[in-house]
């Protein structure tokens, strides 16, 4: 079966408003002027810190793109040390940890992001991936459901939800999830391939071949090669029609 992954690289915008005032040098006005200047100084300090956190965040994204996961984590840690309420940094830190197969640590990062922003799609989605990697399929399913509730038209979550359902031997529910993904994106080769897997696991040769054929027509080399060794097809692999499809 085929997973879909997700990466967050959102830009943060800093708004900094400076004001000016003039007036007679009364004691009240002088006090007011002092407070305004102090506020401006504080705003400047906060904006500078925010910019520094943003710089570390983008540095982390660059390192993550370059698959330098350990260095990316260090950069995200620096961003978070300055601005802890940064769900994007927590999410991408989790992705770096997931890439290092540190799934439990990744879950902590995703949970931090969710605590800050409970409806953050990417946090729930990537949390589902980490849970799937830990073979915690029921928990993964719950995370994908949260992601889909936030963004119903994200076919990636529907595909991975189908995988979790397949692992739970809920094949018809899995096929339903893949069909929802296909309704959003009709040329979704991963969904057709995973549907074929679900049918093969039920020994439904006809529908396994029908869906595998659709996946192969979309991406021929990948799925012909994958289907030859994928254990999901073990029940139908010896069938003549299946062998002919892979020629």
């Amino acid at each position: 079966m085929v997973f879909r992954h997700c990466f967050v690289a959102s830009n943060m915008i800093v708004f900094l408003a400076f004001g000016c005032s003039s007036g007679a040098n009364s004691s009240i006005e002088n006090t007011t002027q002092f407070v305004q200047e102090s506020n401006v100084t504080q705003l400047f300090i906060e904006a500078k810190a925010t910019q520094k956190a943003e710089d570390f965040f983008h540095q982390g994204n660059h390192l993550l793109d370059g698959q330098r996961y350990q260095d990316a984590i260090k950069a995200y840690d620096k961003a978070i040390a300055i601005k802890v309420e940064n769900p994007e940094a927590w999410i991408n830190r989790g992705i770096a940890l997931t890439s290092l197969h540190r799934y439990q640590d990744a879950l902590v990062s995703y949970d931090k992001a969710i605590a800050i922003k409970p409806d953050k799609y990417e946090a729930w989605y990537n949390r589902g991936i980490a849970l799937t990697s830990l073979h915690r399929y029921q928990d993964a399913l719950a995370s994908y459901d949260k992601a889909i509730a936030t963004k119903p038209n994200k076919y990636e979550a529907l595909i991975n939800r189908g995988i979790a359902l397949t692992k739970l031997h809920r094949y018809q529910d899995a096929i339903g999830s893949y069909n929802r993904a296909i309704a959003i994106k009709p040329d979704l080769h991963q969904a057709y391939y995973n549907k074929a897997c679900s049918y093969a696991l039920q020994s439904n040769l006809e529908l396994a071949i029908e869906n595998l054929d659709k996946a192969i027509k979309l991406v021929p080399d990948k799925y012909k090669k994958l289907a030859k060794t994928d254990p999901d097809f073990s029940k139908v692999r010896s069938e003549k029609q299946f062998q002919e499809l892979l020629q």
Side-chain angles (χ1 to χ4, degrees), residues 1-18:
M1 285 175 284
V2 183
F3 276 100
R4 297 284 303 183
H5 293 267
C6 185
F7 170 68
V8 180
S10 62
N11 294 316
M12 292 175 284
I13 301 172
V14 181
F15 294 96
L16 181 60
F18 289 93

Side-chain angles (χ1 to χ4, degrees), residues 2 189 193 212-229 245-247:
V2 183
H189 51 88
Y193 182 82
L212 181 58
D213 183 48
K214 289 178 181 178
I216 289 171
K217 283 178 179 175
L218 290 165
V219 189
D221 293 339
K222 176 180 179 178
Y223 290 116
K224 278 189 177 183
K225 182 179 179 181
L226 196 56
K228 287 177 181 178
T229 57
L245 181 61
L246 302 182
Q247 297 304 313

